Amino acid sequence: MRSESPTPSPDQEKKDFLCSVREGLRSRPKTIPPKYFYDAHGSHLFDLICTTPEYYPTRTETAILEHHSEEMAEMIGTSSTLIELGSGSAIKTPLILRHLSHDAVYVPIDICEPHLRNSTQRLQTRFPALKMQPLCADYHRLPAHAIKHHVGRRKVVFFPGSTIGNCTPDEAVTLLKRVAALVGPGGGLLIGVDAKKSTETLNAAYNDAAGHTAAFNRNLLTRMQSELGAQLDADQFAHHAYYNEPHGRIEMHLVSRCKQAIRLDGESFEFDEGESIHTENSYKYSAQEFKQLARTAGWHLQSNWHDENELFNVHYLSQ
Ligand code: AVI
């Protein structure tokens, strides 16, 4: 296992975080991009969310992969370079890796370095013959030439977990075009996409009884305090997540419980009682809607797998 490409320096990461938060709190409505959920603690909280009874996407997608991974690996090509975007704990990845041959290469890409290191080590122990080239990076900023040394090999991106749903549809098209440039002609994309379903099921999934999603959301405030020196009272912000049906998305917010201010880097950001920071969207797509979206980005649907209740889809796309 060797690590490619430089990790963004801690100074640069802090600057980016400060700029994004400052810009987001100046805008109306106030927003903070969801990528800042994923420091080591946030990544751990996300893993906990995935184990809750209410958060169906993880177990549903895992069951789909368990049943169909052999067929999926055949489509990927058993000697290909498999690139995983936002690999995180890479819990589902072994389901695919177990069918790849020894000359395949696995390239996990994640923004959280400790998470990337630990999960790659775990996978390397389990699949010692497989070449692994972890890359610590923000995949939204990845240039097309980021995956070097793979000339002549088929490249396929694995993007599970419906993370594409955290982009707006326009951003999703941009990202899908970027993925197309990354894998080049003949490349493929195996992607998990959460489907539209009842408001009740969706609202429960983002408001788990154990409170892991609330902690995940509020971790943003804790990060602002510890990393940026923001002065704020985290207890005075409430987790609020609901399905916005007209937009086909879950929205997550941090809602101010009172009139208050956050002080950050010499600036004061005022909040009215009930005013929110919009922290995440999670778009849901029917199989047909996603096929159409992917088409706009130049991808063609080759295969689709789903569970019997059609809660979740896994698509294989080619260019
Ligand atoms: C990573 N992403 C697909 C998750 C989702 O469902 O949108 C993030 C998440 N947010 C709250 N719970 C899970």
Side-chain angles (χ1 to χ4, degrees), residues 37-38 46 49 55 57 161-166 194 205-206 213 216 252 280-284:
F37 285 135
Y38 300 95
F46 179 64
I49 292 172
Y55 194 74
S162 200
T163 307
I164 192 81
N166 298 132
D194 197 12
Y206 292 81
T213 311
F216 175 71
M252 283 217 315
E280 188 181 58
N281 288 318
S282 190
Y283 282 83
K284 311 299 170 189

Side-chain angles (χ1 to χ4, degrees), residues 273-308:
E273 183 180 345
E275 190 179 352
S276 87
I277 310 173
H278 188 167
T279 52
E280 188 181 58
N281 288 318
S282 190
Y283 282 83
K284 311 299 170 189
Y285 296 101
S286 70
Q288 188 54 33
E289 282 170 338
F290 190 75
K291 182 179 165 185
Q292 213 34 57
L293 186 91
R295 185 78 199 84
T296 315
W299 290 96
H300 302 273
L301 181 71
Q302 296 298 322
S303 271
N304 161 268
W305 302 269
H306 52 75
D307 56 296
E308 60 178 2

Side-chain angles (χ1 to χ4, degrees), residues 53-70:
E54 296 92 340
Y55 194 74
Y56 63 85
T58 307
R59 63 171 179 277
T60 310
E61 185 183 41
T62 303
I64 297 169
L65 293 172
E66 266 163 5
H67 283 112
H68 302 286
S69 56
E70 195 165 357

Side-chain angles (χ1 to χ4, degrees), residues 89-317:
S89 298
I91 302 286
K92 299 161 198 158
T93 321
L95 296 170
I96 302 292
L97 294 187
R98 64 185 170 165
H99 298 296
L100 300 189
S101 74
H102 290 169
D103 51 339
V105 180
Y106 173 57
V107 183
I109 302 176
D110 203 272
I111 199 167
C112 178
E113 208 272 331
H115 230 56
L116 180 69
R117 193 171 357 100
N118 294 338
S119 60
T120 311
Q121 268 163 8
R122 188 174 39 78
L123 287 173
Q124 190 72 87
T125 307
R126 182 150 171 206
F127 301 98
L130 212 61
K131 207 182 283 168
M132 303 201 176
Q133 298 179 349
L135 179 55
C136 185
D138 176 356
Y139 59 78
H140 288 280
R141 294 186 184 172
L142 219 51
H145 61 265
I147 311 297
K148 298 167 275 175
H149 324 301
H150 298 269
V151 182
R153 301 178 66 92
R154 177 136 182 250
K155 289 178 232 161
V156 175
V157 161
F158 180 41
F159 197 26
S162 200
T163 307
I164 192 81
N166 298 132
C167 300
T168 64
D170 282 351
E171 288 165 353
V173 169
T174 303
L175 180 58
L176 292 174
K177 284 184 178 164
R178 209 170 251 268
V179 170
L182 191 71
V183 298
L189 170 62
L190 183 67
I191 185 166
V193 185
D194 197 12
K196 289 197 160 84
K197 58 189 61 66
S198 78
T199 299
E200 201 189 358
T201 304
L202 284 165
N203 284 346
Y206 292 81
N207 290 283
D208 64 281
H212 297 317
T213 311
F216 175 71
N217 198 7
R218 290 153 58 91
N219 182 48
L220 270 178
L221 298 169
T222 318
R223 281 196 75 185
M224 284 162 59
Q225 287 174 305
S226 62
E227 295 176 36
L228 307 179
Q231 287 171 271
L232 58 89
D233 186 349
D235 291 339
Q236 291 305 327
F237 286 90
H239 164 73
H240 180 53
Y242 73 101
Y243 184 51
N244 182 333
E245 197 173 354
H247 283 92
R249 69 188 189 204
I250 284 280
E251 290 188 14
M252 283 217 315
H253 295 262
L254 287 163
V255 180
S256 180
R257 295 186 200 271
C258 60
K259 193 167 166 50
Q260 59 177 326
I262 292 180
R263 275 174 254 290
L264 176 70
D265 202 35
E267 205 169 332
S268 183
F269 300 95
E270 308 295 325
F271 286 78
D272 287 330
E273 183 180 345
E275 190 179 352
S276 87
I277 310 173
H278 188 167
T279 52
E280 188 181 58
N281 288 318
S282 190
Y283 282 83
K284 311 299 170 189
Y285 296 101
S286 70
Q288 188 54 33
E289 282 170 338
F290 190 75
K291 182 179 165 185
Q292 213 34 57
L293 186 91
R295 185 78 199 84
T296 315
W299 290 96
H300 302 273
L301 181 71
Q302 296 298 322
S303 271
N304 161 268
W305 302 269
H306 52 75
D307 56 296
E308 60 178 2
N309 298 315
E310 300 192 28
L311 297 178
F312 200 95
N313 289 289
V314 178
H315 303 283
Y316 185 82
L317 305 151

